[in-house]
């Protein structure tokens, strides 16, 4: 029996023709799905976080160069040097850091994580050169520099922060399947011997501020790795005792604690720097005295371009400028947090957490120092304080963040593509 061939609707013919032209099989129709809107929203958020990290990092680094020029030029001219020398050096490191960050975003996170062991070995070797060889150079009482030329130096402890963060994330992911339930596998080798070795070498140089930031990175890694609270509290107490011993063993550090508590400013007037920093904030008012117009940078605020650069920022841009810069750091923290929460792998979650504890934690320590909430510790403000090593290390860290953010953006875009299934053929 001959059956009549059913006529295909005009719309279906057009659809079949389009499918044939595009190389797709006809008869496949996209299924919207209940989660399609959520997936599209997630893709938009992933793209937003990528751009937030990229734009905020570049803006903060450029703004940091401007602030370094403003705060360092006066003392440079007074010392008979070119007023642009410090800012040009900072701009060079910022430029190199931005280029590295932009290149690193195109490298898959699985390839970047392979740098964990080389990075941590390089950090230990460089810190050892600082501590035990004539290459080590002391600045303002801290031996934490390798002097390359009369004007150029390298601060390995800044890169040790990044190395420790990447290494912690890498090792925790490797042990994720069966070993993290055991405390010793959580602690070894992240906390001991690697973390202890780096902390020991940093403390040999009397750099308590950097040691505090390294402890924050290690604590974050242990927490995200699943270490129980009782162990975290115990390790925290041990770290507090060790830092207290380090502080009390130095007359200079004891004097800073006394000055902070208002007990005794000492013969060298260790209250002076904090008081001048607060004066700079107060003179800025709501809207500041104007870019480059600070009066307190004229040798009134010690280390105006380094640890106390935020007080000069507050004087020149006022309360509004301070809130704006803090909002940028908050945006950066939010984007990194959302990248961590969106991640499906432990490596990305731990890495984002460690980098947040470093950059945002160090920001709070610096602000606490400048505002008198904390004693003068000597921790620079990320992106903004003078220091080529600090700038380059932070921009490399942002390269790791952008690599993960870009990969998430690509994964979310793939997930948004419509799924299809063949339609049932009509019966005769």
């Amino acid at each position: 029996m001959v059956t009549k061939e059913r006529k295909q609707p005009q719309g279906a013919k057009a659809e079949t023709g389009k499918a044939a032209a595009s190389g797709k099989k006809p008869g496949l129709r996209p299924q919207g799905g209940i989660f399609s809107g959520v997936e599209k929203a997630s893709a938009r958020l992933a793209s937003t976080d990528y751009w937030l990290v990229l734009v905020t990092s570049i803006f903060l680094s450029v703004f940091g160069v401007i602030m370094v020029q403003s705060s360092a030029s006066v003392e440079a001219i007074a010392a008979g040097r070119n007023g642009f020398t410090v800012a040009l050096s900072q701009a060079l490191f910022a430029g190199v850091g931005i280029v590295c960050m932009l290149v690193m975003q195109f490298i898959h996170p699985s390839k970047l994580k392979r740098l964990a062991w080389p990075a941590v070995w390089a950090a230990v070797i460089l810190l050892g050169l600082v501590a035990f060889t004539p290459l080590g150079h002391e600045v303002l009482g801290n031996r934490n520099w390798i002097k390359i030329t009369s004007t150029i130096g390298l601060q390995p402890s800044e890169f040790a922060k990044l190395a420790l963060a990447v290494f912690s994330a890498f090792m925790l992911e490797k042990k994720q399947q069966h070993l993290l339930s055991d405390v010793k596998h959580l602690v070894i080798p992240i906390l001991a011997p690697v973390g202890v070795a780096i902390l020991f070498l940093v403390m040999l140089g009397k750099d308590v501020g950097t040691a505090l930031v390294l402890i924050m990175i290690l604590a974050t890694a242990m927490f995200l790795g699943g270490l129980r609270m009782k162990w975290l509290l115990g390790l925290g107490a041990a770290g507090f005792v060790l830092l207290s011993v380090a502080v009390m063993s130095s007359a200079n550090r004891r004097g800073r604690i006394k000055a902070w508590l208002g007990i005794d400013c000492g013969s060298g007037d260790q209250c002076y720097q904090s008081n001048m920093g607060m004066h700079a904030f107060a003179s800025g008012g709501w809207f500041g005295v104007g870019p480059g117009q600070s009066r307190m940078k004229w040798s009134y605020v010690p280390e105006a371009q380094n640890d106390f650069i935020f007080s000069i920022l507050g004087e020149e841009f006022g309360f509004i400028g301070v809130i704006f810069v803090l909002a940028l750091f908050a945006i950066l923290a939010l984007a990194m947090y959302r990248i961590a929460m969106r991640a499906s792998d432990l490596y990305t979650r731990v890495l984002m957490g460690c980098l947040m504890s470093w950059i945002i934690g160090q920001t709070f320590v610096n602000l606490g120092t400048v505002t008198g909430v904390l004693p003068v510790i000597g921790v620079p403000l990320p992106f903004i304080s003078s220091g080529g090593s600090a700038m380059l290390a932070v921009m490399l860290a942002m390269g790791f963040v952008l690599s993960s953010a870009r990969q998430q953006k690509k994964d979310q875009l793939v997930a948004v593509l419509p799924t299809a299934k063949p339609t049932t053929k009509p019966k005769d």
Side-chain angles (χ1 to χ4, degrees):
M1 184 175 66
V2 180
T3 58
K4 291 184 179 179
E5 191 177 24
R6 296 196 175 201
K7 290 185 178 180
Q8 202 173 17
Q10 190 68 26
K13 287 182 179 179
E15 184 180 338
T16 305
K18 288 179 182 178
S22 61
K24 296 180 182 178
K25 293 183 179 179
L28 295 180
R29 295 179 183 172
Q31 305 296 315
I34 191 171
F35 296 111
S36 61
V38 176
E39 289 175 347
K40 290 178 182 178
S42 182
R44 286 195 297 269
L45 284 176
S47 180
T48 300
D49 292 336
Y50 166 82
W51 286 108
L52 284 177
V53 173
L54 177 63
V55 174
T56 305
S57 300
I58 294 176
F59 183 88
L60 282 172
S61 61
V62 172
F63 183 69
V65 173
I66 295 172
M67 285 307 306
V68 167
Q69 168 59 27
S70 174
S71 56
S73 58
V74 172
E75 291 194 1
I77 293 172
R81 302 192 302 269
N82 188 333
F84 293 95
T85 301
V86 179
L88 288 175
S89 175
Q90 187 76 358
L92 174 63
F93 280 99
V96 172
I98 290 173
V99 171
C100 290
M101 178 185 72
L102 295 176
V103 171
M104 288 174 67
Q105 70 170 325
F106 296 106
I107 304 175
H108 197 278
S110 61
K111 295 182 179 179
L112 286 178
K113 72 172 70 172
R114 298 175 190 170
L115 297 174
W117 276 108
V120 83
W121 273 114
V124 171
I125 291 171
L126 289 173
L127 288 171
L129 292 176
V130 173
F132 301 115
T133 70
L135 293 174
H137 182 59
E138 185 173 314
V139 177
L140 298 175
N142 291 343
R143 185 183 175 90
N144 51 8
W145 288 86
I146 292 179
K147 193 170 184 179
I148 300 174
T149 67
S150 58
T151 57
I152 300 176
L154 179 70
Q155 193 174 0
S157 56
E158 292 295 331
F159 299 99
K161 300 171 187 176
L162 177 59
L164 190 58
V166 176
F167 179 77
S168 299
F170 174 75
M171 291 306 302
L172 287 174
E173 187 190 45
K174 283 188 70 71
K175 297 185 176 188
Q176 179 181 7
Q177 294 296 328
H178 308 290
L179 301 176
L180 290 187
S181 57
D182 193 343
V183 175
K184 68 180 180 182
H185 284 290
L186 265 171
V187 173
I188 300 172
I190 297 172
L191 190 60
V194 173
V196 172
I198 291 177
L199 278 170
F200 174 73
L201 292 171
V202 169
M203 287 304 298
L204 282 180
K206 304 175 183 178
D207 193 351
V208 175
T210 299
L212 179 61
V213 176
L214 290 170
I215 289 174
M216 288 192 291
I217 294 172
L218 287 171
T220 303
M222 293 295 100
F223 175 75
L224 295 177
L227 189 64
R228 292 183 179 180
M229 189 57 64
K230 64 178 182 180
W231 287 102
L232 278 173
L233 293 174
L235 291 173
F240 177 77
V241 170
L242 290 175
L243 278 178
S244 300
V245 170
V247 169
M248 299 310 294
S249 62
S250 168
N252 182 45
R253 298 192 195 105
R254 287 198 306 272
R256 291 182 181 183
I257 296 295
K258 290 180 180 179
W260 172 58
L261 295 174
I263 299 174
D264 182 16
C265 290
S267 58
D269 194 8
Q270 291 185 320
C271 302
Y272 178 80
Q273 189 175 24
S274 296
N275 290 338
M276 291 297 102
M278 292 303 295
H279 279 305
F281 273 121
S283 61
W286 281 95
F287 301 101
V289 297
Q293 301 302 310
S294 168
R295 294 180 291 271
M296 301 302 293
K297 67 184 179 185
W298 292 74
S299 301
Y300 290 105
V301 178
E303 297 301 312
Q305 76 276 17
N306 291 326
D307 305 339
F308 272 69
I309 196 170
F310 199 69
S311 63
I312 306 302
L313 188 155
E315 183 185 8
E316 293 189 350
F317 294 93
F319 181 75
I320 301 300
V322 166
I323 294 299
F324 177 72
V325 172
L326 293 181
L328 291 177
F329 278 105
I331 290 171
L332 188 63
L334 176 63
M336 292 173 68
Y337 172 77
R338 294 201 305 197
I339 293 169
M341 294 302 293
R342 194 182 298 112
S344 58
D345 60 300
L346 184 62
Y347 166 80
T348 302
R349 292 198 296 270
V350 174
L351 180 61
M352 294 302 111
C354 290
L355 295 181
M356 280 181 63
S357 66
W358 162 21
I359 295 171
I360 306 304
Q362 184 170 314
T363 299
F364 276 106
V365 172
N366 178 270
L367 300 185
T369 297
V370 173
T371 57
V373 176
L374 296 174
V376 177
I377 299 175
V379 173
L381 182 62
F383 295 103
I384 298 178
S385 289
S386 176
S389 297
M391 174 67 82
L392 184 55
V394 169
M395 297 308 289
L396 290 175
M398 290 300 101
F400 278 90
V401 176
L402 280 180
S403 173
S404 296
R406 188 172 183 274
Q407 188 59 41
Q408 284 186 359
K409 184 175 71 167
K410 291 172 63 177
D411 293 342
Q412 293 295 334
L413 287 174
V414 170
V416 167
L417 293 177
T419 57
K421 63 180 183 182
T423 58
T424 57
K425 188 177 180 180
K427 296 180 180 179
D428 290 333

